[in-house]
C-alpha cells in the first residue's frame, strides 16, 4: 500500500512475498513428507498443489493493496463482498484459459480452494481427504499459515520493527493428527508471538496515523475519479482487473484539465505531504466492544456544540481501526490442538491460564481516529470529537486532549 511514505524501507512488493510463501509452503510440505509422508499419503501432486497455492494466493489484490478492497470498494459499492482471494481464483481460471495451460481441472480446483480457504472456511470443511493441506497457505481454521510467516518476517525487517517470532520452530514441529495440523505444547508461546507480532504490525505500521491519513486522501481521490475512469467496473471481470495497478494515480493526473479537478488536487497534496491533519483518537472501552458501530464523519459533525466554524461532513475524515489476533474477540489459540511430544498420539487444546497469567484477557482493540481535511479546522474537529465521546460514554476516553499548540498552529 502506501506504507512506504512513512516507513521508507517498505518498498518490497507482493511479488517477493509470493515467492517467499511459495518457498515456505514447500518447506512445510517437505517436513510433513519427511516425518509422516507414508502415513499421510503425501505425493508429488500434493506438494506441487500447495506450493502453487502459495505462489498464486495474492494475485487478486487490487491497486494499493488492502486499500482497494477494504476502503475504496465499500465507498463506491456499499455492502461489497468483493475479496482478493476470490479474485485470485478468477484470475487463475482466466490465465489457464487464455494461455491454454495443460492442467487437470480437479488439480486446478484444489489450488483455488486452498487460496480461498481463509476467507471461505466452508470450502475447506467440505473436503473429505487430506483436509490438513488446506491449512498450510491460508488457514481459515486457526490462522497459522505460511502466508503470515513470510509477511511478518519480511515487514518487520523492512520497517525496522523488532520481532522474536521464529517461524522455523513451527515448521519443524508441526505434525498431522486426525487430519489436523498440531504443534508441540512447548511451542504455545511461540504461536502466541505469531499473533501478537501481527497485531503489533497492524498497530505500529499498517494503521499508523500518518499511513491512514495518506490512505484516506487517496481513497477520496479514487472515489472522485471513479465515475470518469470506471475504476470499480474493472473489479468484477478478471480480463479487465489485471490492468488495474498503481499507475491509476498517473491516469488521474493526466486526465483532461476540466476533469477530476478535486481528485488531482488531493493527489498533489499527497505529493507535497500536505496530509489530512490527525486530531486525536480513542480506544473503544472494553465493555462497549460488542455493540460498537463504526463512527462516521456525520457522527462527528452532529456532535459539534459551539465553535467559530460550522463543520460539514466533507471537512472530516474518520478511520475506524480494528486490531485483533485474527479471530475478533476470540483467542485463536483456543482453536489449535497440541501434543505432548513426538510419538504421542493424543491431541488436546491448551488454555491461557495453564501457560501464563501474563497473557492478555482481551483479544481485540477498536480505535477511532479523526482527521481534519483542512488545517484550520483542527480545533473545531477536535472539540466535536471530544463531545462525541462525552455523549457516547459519559467521559472522554482519549488519552489526552489535542495539544493546544496543534490546535492553534493552523489558525
Amino acid at each position: 500500500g502506501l506504507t512506504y511514505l512513512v516507513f521508507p524501507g517498505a518498498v518490497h512488493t507482493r511479488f517477493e512475498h509470493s515467492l517467499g510463501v511459495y518457498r515456505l509452503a514447500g518447506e512445510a510440505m517437505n517436513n510433513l513428507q519427511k516425518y509422516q509422508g507414508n502415513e499421510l499419503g503425501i505425493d508429488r501432486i500434493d506438494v506441487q498443489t500447495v506450493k502453487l497455492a502459495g505462489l498464486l494466493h495474492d494475485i487478486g489484490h487490487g491497486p494499493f493493496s488492502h486499500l482497494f478492497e477494504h476502503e475504496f470498494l465499500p465507498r463506491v459499492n456499499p455492502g461489497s463482498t468483493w475479496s482478493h482471494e476470490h479474485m485470485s481464483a478468477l484470475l487463475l481460471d482466466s490465465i489457464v484459459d487464455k494461455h491454454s495451460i495443460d492442467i487437470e481441472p480437479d488439480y486446478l480446483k484444489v489450488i483455488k480452494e486452498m487460496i480461498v480457504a481463509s476467507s471461505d472456511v466452508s470450502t475447506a470443511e467440505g473436503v473429505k481427504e487430506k483436509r490438513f493441506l488446506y491449512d498450510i497457505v491460508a488457514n481459515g481454521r486457526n490462522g497459522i499459515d505460511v502466508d503470515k510467516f513470510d509477511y511478518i518476517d519480511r515487514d518487520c525487517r523492512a520497517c525496522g520493527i523488532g520481532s522474536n517470532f521464529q517461524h522455523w520452530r513451527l515448521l519443524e514441529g508441526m505434525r498431522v493428527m486426525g487430519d489436523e495440523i498440531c504443534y508441540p505444547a512447548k511451542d504455545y508461546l511461540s504461536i502466541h508471538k505469531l499473533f501478537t507480532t501481527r497485531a503489533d504490525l497492524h498497530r505500529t505500521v499498517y494503521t499508523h496515523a500518518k499511513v491512514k491519513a495518506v490512505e484516506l486522501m487517496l481513497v477520496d481521490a479514487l472515489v472522485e475519479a471513479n465515475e470518469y475512469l470506471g475504476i470499480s467496473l474493472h473489479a468484477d471481470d478478471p480480463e479487465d482487473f489485471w490492468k488495474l495497478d498503481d499507475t491509476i494515480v498517473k491516469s488521474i493526473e493526466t486526465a483532461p484539465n476540466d476533469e477530476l479537478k478535486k481528485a488531482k488536487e488531493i493527489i498533489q497534496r499527497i505529493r507535497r505531504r500536505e496530509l489530512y491533519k490527525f486530531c486525536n483518537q480513542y480506544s473503544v472501552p472494553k465493555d462497549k466492544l460488542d455493540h460498537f458501530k463504526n463512527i462516521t464523519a456525520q457522527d462527528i459533525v452532529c456532535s459539534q456544540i459551539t465553535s467559530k466554524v460550522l463543520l460539514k461532513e466533507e471537512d472530516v475524515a474518520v478511520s475506524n481501526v480494528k486490531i485483533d489476533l485474527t479471530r475478533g474477540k476470540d483467542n485463536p489459540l483456543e482453536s489449535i490442538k497440541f501434543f505432548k511430544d513426538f510419538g504421542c498420539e493424543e491431541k488436546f487444546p491448551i488454555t491461557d491460564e495453564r501457560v501464563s497469567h501474563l497473557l492478555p484477557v482481551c483479544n481485540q482493540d477498536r480505535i477511532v481516529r479523526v482527521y481534519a481535511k483542512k488545517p484550520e479546522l483542527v480545533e473545531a474537529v477536535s472539540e466535536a470529537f471530544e463531545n462525541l465521546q462525552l455523549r457516547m460514554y459519559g467521559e472522554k476516553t482519549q488519552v489526552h486532549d489535542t495539544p493546544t499548540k496543534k490546535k492553534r498552529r493552523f489558525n
Side-chain angles (χ1 to χ4, degrees):
L2 298 163
T3 306
Y4 72 95
L5 293 173
V6 179
F7 294 87
V11 291
H12 51 298
T13 71
R14 288 192 181 278
F15 177 67
E16 294 99 330
H17 167 61
S18 296
L19 293 179
V21 177
Y22 171 81
R23 182 182 69 84
L24 291 176
E27 282 189 24
M29 290 300 292
N30 289 340
N31 286 337
L32 290 177
Q33 199 169 32
K34 176 181 176 181
Y35 296 112
Q36 294 181 282
N38 293 332
E39 171 193 346
L40 300 174
I42 296 174
D43 56 30
R44 182 179 61 85
I45 297 297
D46 293 330
V47 176
Q48 284 186 343
T49 303
V50 173
K51 289 173 72 176
L52 279 174
L55 182 69
L56 301 165
H57 77 288
D58 265 353
I59 59 174
H61 266 289
F64 305 103
S65 191
H66 290 281
L67 177 150
F68 183 83
E69 178 177 356
H70 298 307
E71 305 289 344
F72 169 68
L73 284 179
R75 283 272 300 273
V76 296
N77 296 324
S80 170
T81 57
W82 191 95
S83 74
H84 73 271
E85 293 94 347
H86 285 92
M87 178 50 72
S88 294
L90 291 174
L91 277 171
L92 185 49
D93 279 333
S94 176
I95 291 168
V96 169
D97 291 343
K98 186 174 182 178
H99 298 281
S100 302
I101 296 174
D102 185 17
I103 183 172
E104 291 289 332
D106 288 345
Y107 183 20
L108 181 63
K109 178 174 177 285
V110 171
I111 294 172
K112 292 189 295 182
E113 287 175 346
M114 288 180 177
I115 289 172
V116 303
S118 64
S119 62
D120 188 358
V121 183
S122 61
T123 300
E125 295 296 345
V127 176
K128 293 184 172 60
E129 293 184 3
K130 300 180 182 177
R131 165 69 176 83
F132 65 91
L133 294 176
Y134 291 74
D135 294 340
I136 293 174
V137 173
N139 190 343
R141 179 147 43 183
N142 56 45
I144 304 177
D145 51 49
V146 294
D147 177 29
K148 291 184 185 65
F149 292 178
D150 182 85
Y151 78 69
I152 286 174
D153 273 1
R154 193 175 299 276
D155 293 354
C156 282
R157 183 174 62 253
C159 298
I161 306 297
S163 169
N164 58 1
F165 165 65
Q166 300 171 318
H167 67 260
W168 60 267
R169 289 184 62 91
L170 303 188
L171 286 175
E172 285 287 335
M174 61 168 58
R175 296 291 183 271
V176 175
M177 304 174 73
D179 222 17
E180 178 179 9
I181 296 177
C182 304
Y183 297 89
K186 64 182 180 180
D187 285 336
Y188 185 93
L189 290 178
S190 292
I191 294 174
H192 196 272
K193 282 177 187 173
L194 164 69
F195 295 118
T196 54
T197 304
R198 174 186 173 276
D200 286 343
L201 277 168
H202 274 270
R203 185 186 305 278
T204 310
V205 179
Y206 312 145
T207 67
H208 185 284
K210 277 192 166 54
V211 171
K212 295 306 293 184
V214 184
E215 287 188 355
L216 288 166
M217 294 181 76
L218 183 58
V219 170
D220 280 350
L222 294 177
V223 170
E224 288 290 330
N226 185 52
E227 186 173 348
Y228 179 76
L229 296 177
I231 302 167
S232 61
L233 298 178
H234 296 295
D236 296 320
D237 184 356
E239 287 296 316
D240 285 336
F241 181 77
W242 71 268
K243 301 171 188 174
L244 282 179
D245 59 26
D246 295 3
T247 59
I248 197 166
V249 169
K250 189 173 182 180
S251 299
I252 293 174
E253 292 181 305
T254 57
N257 291 335
D258 293 338
E259 303 289 349
L260 308 183
K261 182 179 178 182
K262 190 172 180 181
K264 289 180 182 180
E265 289 174 353
I266 295 172
I267 298 297
Q268 287 306 308
R269 281 186 62 184
I270 294 174
R271 293 202 184 282
R272 295 192 301 266
R273 301 298 192 268
E274 296 173 1
L275 308 182
Y276 292 166
K277 299 302 176 184
F278 172 63
C279 298
N280 217 321
Q281 69 178 43
Y282 73 82
S283 291
V284 177
K286 194 187 302 184
D287 60 338
K288 306 292 183 184
L289 284 171
D290 287 344
H291 304 291
F292 175 76
K293 291 183 180 178
N294 282 348
I295 302 300
T296 66
Q298 184 181 47
D299 294 326
I300 305 296
V301 172
C302 290
S303 299
Q304 190 177 25
I305 299 175
T306 57
S307 184
K308 303 170 187 174
V309 184
L310 183 64
L311 293 173
K312 294 180 280 191
E313 287 184 44
E314 55 264 35
D315 296 327
V316 181
V318 181
S319 174
N320 292 277
V321 176
K322 180 181 177 183
I323 301 172
D324 58 34
L325 303 183
T326 74
R327 288 294 179 272
K329 64 180 181 179
D330 298 323
N331 181 359
L333 280 94
E334 294 175 354
S335 304
I336 300 165
K337 297 297 192 302
F338 297 86
F339 56 88
K340 281 192 293 185
D341 205 351
F342 300 111
C344 296
E345 299 297 326
E346 181 190 2
K347 61 179 180 178
F348 50 86
I350 299 177
T351 55
D352 278 356
E353 60 268 20
R354 295 289 181 93
V355 179
S356 172
H357 296 300
L358 297 177
L359 298 176
V361 294
C362 184
N363 301 295
Q364 183 183 70
D365 268 345
R366 299 298 295 263
I367 300 167
V368 181
R369 293 198 184 110
V370 67
Y371 298 79
K373 292 188 179 181
K374 298 174 184 175
E376 62 270 19
L377 297 177
V378 168
E379 183 173 7
V381 172
S382 298
E383 289 177 0
F385 189 53
E386 292 173 4
N387 292 335
L388 172 80
Q389 296 167 62
L390 290 169
R391 179 167 58 84
M392 291 183 67
Y393 310 117
E395 62 178 343
K396 288 190 241 183
T397 56
Q398 59 194 35
V399 174
H400 56 71
D401 293 345
T402 304
T404 304
K405 285 185 179 179
K406 191 171 188 177
K407 290 180 182 178
R408 293 177 178 170
R409 188 186 309 159
F410 307 108
N411 291 338

